[in-house]
Amino acid sequence: MTVPMSDWKSATPHGAIEVLEEEGITKLYPPQEKAVPHALAGKNLVLAVPTASGKSLVAYLAAVKRVLHDGGKVLYIVPLRALASEKFEELKRFERLGIKVGMSIGDYDEVDKNVDQLDILVATSEKADAIMRHRSDWVRAMSLVVADEVHLMNDPDRGPTLEITLTKLRMLNPQVQVIALSATVGNSQEMAEWLDAEHVASEWRPVKLKEGVLLENTINFTDNSHRQVRPLGDPVWSLVKDTMEEGGQALVFVNTRKSTETLAVRFSKLNKERLDAKVAEELEKAFQDEHTSIGATLRDCMRSGMAFHNAALSNEQRRTVERFFKAGNIKCIVATPTLAAGINLPARRVIVRDVNRFDDGGYVPLPVMEVKQMCGRAGRPRYDPYGEAVLLAKSVDQSHMLFENYLLGEPEDVVSKVGNERVLRGHILALIATDTTNTRKGIIEFLGRTFFCHQRGETGVEQAVENIVQYLFKEGLIRCPGIDFLAEEAEADLKATFFGRRVSDLYIDPVSAAKLRDALQTYTHGKKDLGFMHAVCSTPDMLNLYLKRDDPDVISAILEERKDELLFPAPDIDTPDHEYFLSELKTSLVLDSWVEERDEEELLRSFGIGPGDLHNKVEIGAWLLYSMRELSNIFNKDCYPVLTKLMARMKYGVKEELLDLVALKGVGRVRARSLFKKGFTSLESLKEAEVSDIAKIIGIGELLAQRIKSQVDPLYVPERKVKSSGRDSKEDATVEEPMRQGQTRLFDF
Ligand SMILES: Nc1ncnc2c1ncn2[C@@H]1O[C@H](COP(=O)(O)OP(=O)(O)OP(=O)(O)O)[C@@H](O)[C@H]1O
Ligand SMILES: [Mg+2]
């Protein structure tokens, strides 16, 4: 079925084929054969083919060609960081052809210094959008943009950013080639029309994927074959065990984080196999700095070859699970659907336990597209000779429904979500602030190029633009040069104010900016830590925690005690706003506890959250505090030094007195506190100290003590190499503390 590479070799850049051949890729798959000529010829392309059919390769070859032949830059957009890492690693294989590949996961308000030196940049759509706001010259130098998992445009929260980014790129750089990679969706042809692209669609998959429904110990597959599964009480476990007995690995999808954990724990008790000694040792090493209970539970599960994967885990924990699973050491992962997008995992069998999700107060069925994505993790080339995806039914009726709706059902159309004023506000401000367009007419024309207008026409767009322009003017983010009112003409010149430009660069919602400004303007001297935390949690950029039953009473009591710290007054009790206020305050208290050095595990337990949630809130909190500090330059300079300290405290989770110590490499909040307690309260005191005295402190050890010493004392030369043996060396092996060491990653997509 495959086509020899030699047939199209001449069009492929010298060296690229050798790189692929070394990876064991010697022939093109049929859909690749159709798509590659378009991609190499520089044509726009929508490639809508099943999961695991090698879509990325088509984009990689085009990328290599654009860089080597045209000297242009390539932007590779992905929806998730985990996917960014995978694509980055794969693209790096081409670096020996003289191509420089980078991945951008940094701060939104700065452009990575080396972006100009890169030929191929892998980034999420938010990061790509943020870079474009700073650097229109970079956009003009671009010759190819790849939109991987382009069906993300269907997502109400994140889809509009991808759609606007693609629209903007094409407007600023009409020559740019666009390659959009999509799962099978109902309307990929329509997307191709929007992008003026060739359309390659196919049902072909390199590894056979059998899809079926388990009902009473029998899997009935869509190809009419059957398979008996030995009943072991729990149907999911029966399926997992059955896969393991055949030497395969299983991936189970469920709809709540709690279930991922409960199931993995249960399976780890049922599984009698243990990791071999070497792997077990590697596992202990991966978890040696672990001090959260969720981490301990995960490690215990993994000792029995089982794992769970959800957003409550930290990035580090999730990467560990993926790594052990890819290496074949973990036999089963129970995951929420976040693991479903694009990643290559060696799952022989995917088990989809839940086909609904809790949303807006009730359960709603999952879209076919999502279930297909989950199923598509099974049977990936290189890993497995075949794959199986199994849904679970409790009754004959349900089994019919699963067959009709999902396995035999057509995937939905991608429907643009750009027609929402909430998501458009920031994008319209950016169009004005970057001088991409400066009139209502220009904005309407811009929106006319979106997939939204391609699908729905321009009805309602004018009104939405007017509402947003009015709002931006009212909040002082834009102005009409020369006059102090907003001229109501389609061609009236609109300019961003200094405030507006900063907001666009900071990549925050204009509504967030207005909130932060209001808070800054009410600030007067005094301790206002909680007030600042609350200000950032009152913005739409922060997703606040839900209130649990006892929360209102507990939070109200704290509110009473600390009300002088707040920058916004509490709304009247018994109003709906009061409940929002309490949930903002709850999130603020998480952040406040973090900077007050509350023990991490205790903090997680008392707020009922996981490390991943904490990291996420802290990252967004730090970004918003940074934004607030930047805006304080305009609205209240007194806040600048106060916010600078608070930002740093947020980054590390420490009180002010530890700020110097945590700036040292290898020293996080826990080690800094241990040093402080033993009298090392400043860099000076460490400089004076003997290495042996520093090494004695719990959690430090000889190697880290030397590393600390060389940071504080430029004249220090380590006297001898520390022998790596025994317990000490293990403690020393990883000197970074598990919680972020100077990371400035934002969002956790
Ligand atoms: N022609 C080929 N021969 C052998 N292996 C290939 C070939 N093309 C791609 N592969 C391998 O197939 C695997 C799946 O490819 P890829 O991740 O691009 O799939 P995909 O179509 O993007 O799937 P998804 O929709 O799940 O993202 C990769 O491991 C890749 O290296
Ligand atoms: Mg893919």
Side-chain angles (χ1 to χ4, degrees), residues 73-109:
K73 307 259 177 214
V74 177
L75 171 64
Y76 196 111
I77 305 177
V78 289
L80 296 164
R81 277 187 196 166
L83 203 54
S85 311
E86 192 174 293
K87 300 298 153 201
F88 172 65
E89 290 305 324
E90 289 181 0
L91 280 160
K92 270 182 95 64
R93 298 180 309 200
F94 298 99
E95 281 204 322
R96 66 180 158 100
L97 306 181
I99 295 172
K100 201 135 181 34
V101 185
M103 176 168 72
S104 190
I105 51 170
D107 210 314
Y108 286 137
D109 190 31

Side-chain angles (χ1 to χ4, degrees), residues 52 55-56 76 83 87 148-149 181 342-343 377 380:
K55 293 183 279 293
S56 329
Y76 196 111
L83 203 54
K87 300 298 153 201
D148 201 349
E149 309 282 332
L181 310 179
I343 300 173
R377 291 320 98 202
R380 307 290 293 190

